[in-house]
Amino acid sequence: MLAGLAGLAALPLLAACSTEDPLAAQAGNADGKNYIAGDGSVLEIAAEDRGEPVQFTSTAFSGESVSSADWLGEPVVLNFWYAACAPCRVEAPDLQSLHEEWEPQGVRFVGVNVRDTAGTAEAFERNFGITYPSLEDRGGQVLLAMTDYVPPQAVPTTIVLDRQGRVSARILGVAERSTLKTLIATVVDEPADPADEQA
């Protein structure tokens, strides 16, 4: 696990591409795995304990400008990934399946790609049939913004936002399908108006 993400924005390659990668060494994972491993641990935050809505702007690989403010009123699943990350490949089919299952209920899935060019990312998406968009974050802007709320700390990391844009849950490492489904159901079932939570 990383000691902290203070210098992470300056390291757009969040995971290791060689045994000399300093971030991989810091994480104790410089053994050629090509990713910073999460252990699958889950952090859930009760509605009354969630912080402020996340705030960031970015650009999708499609060229579209994206703001977290655009998602207010909708639950959002943010998945940090890149194409050569083996655990990202493991979880990709489940993420797409959950996207298809929950999209009719207004849940938005958004990838945050921390390493790849558009061509590499799009090839991965074609290979796994991914239909939800991904943001290009080689510069680490989204990653750095999220450290103000809940550090991603690994690739892959999956973060669930509630309808108010607040962090509800985080999974470090592969998002196991049933676990992520439960975390999504939690925010879907919550009142759309925070005032209703007090009723």
Side-chain angles (χ1 to χ4, degrees):
M1 196 58 61
L2 304 184
L5 295 181
L8 198 51
L11 294 169
L13 302 186
L14 178 62
C17 59
S18 75
T19 56
E20 288 76 30
D21 187 291
L23 190 58
Q26 180 183 355
N29 190 32
D31 56 3
K33 289 182 180 176
N34 279 339
Y35 61 92
I36 300 302
D39 58 6
S41 61
V42 178
L43 169 68
E44 293 186 77
I45 305 172
E48 61 271 20
D49 296 327
R50 295 171 196 161
E52 294 298 313
V54 303
Q55 296 184 36
F56 61 81
T57 58
S58 186
T59 303
F61 281 112
S62 65
E64 176 186 6
S65 295
V66 176
S67 169
S68 56
D70 299 337
W71 306 333
L72 293 178
E74 301 172 318
V76 177
V77 177
L78 288 176
N79 177 255
F80 290 79
W81 70 283
Y82 71 97
C85 159
C88 300
R89 292 173 172 268
V90 169
E91 69 179 3
D94 285 339
L95 290 170
Q96 176 61 25
S97 173
L98 288 168
H99 163 62
E100 294 170 4
E101 179 177 346
W102 288 101
E103 185 179 30
Q105 299 183 57
V107 178
R108 186 187 294 257
F109 276 62
V110 181
V112 182
N113 187 291
V114 299
R115 179 171 177 174
D116 299 322
T117 62
T120 301
E122 289 164 0
F124 178 98
E125 291 168 344
R126 285 192 303 271
N127 187 44
F128 288 97
I130 304 298
T131 59
Y132 55 84
S134 277
L135 309 179
E136 189 279 306
D137 199 47
R138 284 181 293 166
Q141 292 91 339
V142 177
L143 190 68
L144 181 61
M146 290 306 299
T147 65
D148 292 335
Y149 308 96
V150 58
Q153 292 186 308
V155 175
T157 285
T158 302
I159 295 174
V160 179
L161 306 180
D162 66 14
R163 296 181 190 276
Q164 287 78 55
R166 305 172 301 176
V167 175
S168 171
R170 178 194 64 188
I171 303 173
L172 294 177
V174 173
E176 198 276 324
R177 191 182 194 284
S178 62
T179 299
L180 182 54
K181 182 173 181 176
T182 299
L183 297 175
I184 295 170
T186 295
V187 293
V188 168
D189 291 342
E190 291 174 350
D193 186 344
D196 293 341
E197 295 176 359
Q198 311 302 323

